Amino acid sequence: MKAGIVGLPNVGKSTLFNCLSNAKAQSANYPFCTIEPNMGVVNVPDTRLNKLEELVSPERVVPATVEIVDIAGLVKGASKGEGLGNQFLANIRETDAILHVLRCFENENITHVDNSIDPVRDKETIDIELQLKDLETVEKKLEKVARAARTGQKEAQREESLLKTIKKGLEEGKSVRALEFDEEEYLEYVKPLQLITDKPVMYVCNVEESAAVTGNAFVDKVREAVKDEEAEVLVLAVATEADINELEDFEERQMFLEDVGLDEPGSSKLIRSAYKLLNQQTYFTAGKKEVRAWTVNIGATAPQAAGVIHTDFEKGFIRAEVIAYDDYVKYGSEAKVKEAGKMGVEGKNYIVKDGDVMHFLFNV
């Protein structure tokens, strides 16, 4: 699963990417510094993994990960190929969620493509370009479906009606994620279109260090502008995060964070939020050889969770032994959890909960 970092040129996308991935993407004060998308695999910070390591003392620990993609800056007219528009839009279509970086700080030394700071305007610029690209996709699909609908095909007529609803919404400046569909319609007709504005989004407000905790007037405007969207707004002092990231010593990092007023790096919060944005959750396996965090979709069944380890585990699934994370910590070991009668034996219909410690029995 991939989360794509998007935004106008010079808003801090590549600096943020470097903070998250510890990769060194090129970052500079001019548009289109990022041409090809940079990609990094990022560990998901999870204190539960540290606690399980402490209790089990395994040979190794493997965290969950998220793939982050830093995509070229977008400009007005991208949907018509301006700047690197076509490349940008192709790259963002391949991601599963959007981290939309908005510049919420003044700095005369860092140029802005529109020569003024207005994050709401910047958001709308990108929204319009993405909506125009989706409109192009929907209109092409509508042409094909309309021909079949005219012959009296019921399914085609149903799809045509839905496509017209999407087209109308996009023309009114609404992203697809803001439109309402019943689940059957969505899965059958909307999801296969892979529309860009259907992807879940988080707005990352890039602020100066003094606003890292409380935000500022720019952030307030963003929150007001997106209050009707199902979207999280995260405040992050990206340049400060980059400075913290350069420190090798853990104690120095902690002192820096305390000086700013943070209890942990904002980048850690962003990674966890991106993980949830991608509809992901974690279950654990815990043994002497390895304590590991596994990633599954929220709502996954026990066999589907087993299949993340190996497809044979899902095919030959018999049952799962499940311990709630809190019970594992409370009793201190798998053996003591069993003694207390707190281990569950679950079948194929069990829905995995975030933090479950699981062991699978299977037969191939």
Side-chain angles (χ1 to χ4, degrees):
M1 300 290 280
K2 297 179 189 175
I5 301 175
V6 307
L8 292 176
N10 282 359
V11 296
K13 300 184 310 302
S14 294
T15 306
L16 175 60
F17 175 80
N18 288 336
C19 289
L20 297 178
S21 67
N22 289 323
K24 297 299 175 189
Q26 188 183 9
S27 175
N29 183 24
Y30 57 89
F32 310 128
C33 176
T34 303
I35 306 292
E36 294 297 327
N38 296 296
M39 302 180 71
V41 177
V42 182
N43 291 341
V44 178
D46 195 329
T47 55
R48 297 174 300 182
L49 200 60
N50 303 333
K51 186 64 180 177
L52 288 172
E53 179 184 11
E54 181 186 313
L55 293 172
V56 179
S57 300
E59 292 175 17
R60 67 172 187 159
V61 176
V62 183
T65 59
V66 171
E67 194 168 346
I68 302 289
V69 188
D70 174 27
I71 296 169
L74 183 67
V75 294
K76 196 176 292 183
S79 59
K80 303 301 179 189
E82 292 292 325
L84 297 169
N86 291 328
Q87 184 173 343
F88 171 97
L89 294 161
N91 291 333
I92 194 61
R93 196 181 293 282
E94 293 171 5
T95 66
D96 303 290
I98 297 172
L99 307 178
H100 187 159
V101 182
L102 297 167
R103 179 171 168 176
C104 294
F105 66 90
E106 301 268 11
N107 186 332
E108 61 185 21
N109 295 319
I110 300 176
T111 59
H112 188 289
V113 289
D114 289 323
N115 298 314
S116 63
I117 310 304
D118 185 343
V120 175
R121 175 202 61 206
D122 295 351
K123 170 196 173 300
E124 289 172 353
T125 295
I126 287 192
D127 282 351
I128 289 167
E129 297 305 324
L130 300 184
Q131 288 161 4
L132 286 171
K133 198 64 182 178
D134 278 351
L135 188 58
E136 184 184 304
T137 302
V138 170
E139 286 175 339
K140 284 180 181 175
K141 182 70 173 177
L142 197 49
E143 283 178 23
K144 294 178 183 176
V145 172
R147 287 195 291 269
R150 283 195 293 270
T151 67
Q153 293 181 31
K154 295 290 186 187
E155 283 300 304
Q157 289 172 347
R158 186 181 175 200
E159 186 173 5
E160 181 186 36
S161 174
L162 191 68
L163 288 168
K164 284 180 176 177
T165 299
I166 297 172
K167 181 174 182 287
K168 182 173 183 288
L170 289 167
E171 288 172 340
E172 291 172 352
K174 296 176 184 174
S175 292
V176 176
R177 75 180 77 88
L179 304 177
E180 292 186 8
F181 310 99
D182 68 41
E183 189 175 2
E184 184 186 346
E185 284 178 336
Y186 177 78
L187 293 174
E188 190 168 352
Y189 301 120
V190 184
K191 191 174 182 182
L193 292 171
Q194 293 185 296
L195 298 172
I196 300 172
T197 66
D198 187 34
K199 298 178 190 294
V201 64
M202 179 186 353
Y203 296 102
V204 181
C205 292
N206 183 9
V207 299
E208 69 277 12
E209 184 177 310
S210 60
V213 177
T214 58
N216 57 24
F218 291 128
V219 175
D220 293 340
K221 288 177 181 176
V222 171
R223 287 195 171 115
E224 178 64 23
V226 306
K227 65 182 181 183
D228 295 328
E229 295 186 35
E230 287 187 12
E232 184 177 352
V233 176
L234 196 73
V235 178
L236 207 63
V238 174
T240 303
E241 294 285 331
D243 291 340
I244 293 171
N245 211 41
E246 291 295 324
L247 298 173
E248 299 289 339
D249 185 74
F250 176 76
E251 288 186 4
E252 283 185 19
R253 284 189 177 200
Q254 290 304 113
M255 286 173 63
F256 198 142
L257 285 167
E258 286 172 16
D259 287 344
V260 178
L262 299 171
D263 54 1
E264 68 171 340
S267 54
S268 295
K269 292 178 183 176
L270 189 148
I271 295 165
R272 286 198 299 271
S273 297
Y275 193 65
K276 289 180 181 175
L277 192 66
L278 290 162
N279 197 41
Q280 304 287 284
Q281 65 178 1
T282 300
Y283 78 86
F284 302 100
T285 52
K288 285 296 178 184
K289 282 197 173 294
E290 177 183 271
V291 165
R292 183 166 185 150
W294 299 91
T295 299
V296 290
N297 287 333
I298 293 170
T301 62
Q304 288 170 334
V308 173
I309 300 175
H310 198 289
T311 52
D312 285 349
F313 283 28
E314 183 172 3
K315 290 175 188 173
F317 179 89
I318 299 172
R319 64 179 183 273
E321 295 175 346
V322 183
I323 302 170
Y325 169 78
D326 288 343
D327 285 336
Y328 204 110
V329 172
K330 179 180 177 181
Y331 294 100
S333 72
E334 185 177 312
K336 288 181 180 175
V337 169
K338 284 182 179 176
E339 284 176 20
K342 292 292 185 177
M343 176 183 281
V345 178
E346 306 291 351
K348 292 182 178 181
N349 295 326
Y350 177 73
I351 303 298
V352 177
K353 298 181 181 66
D354 186 55
D356 279 349
V357 181
M358 305 185 77
H359 176 69
F360 300 104
L361 283 81
F362 68 101
N363 182 30
V364 178

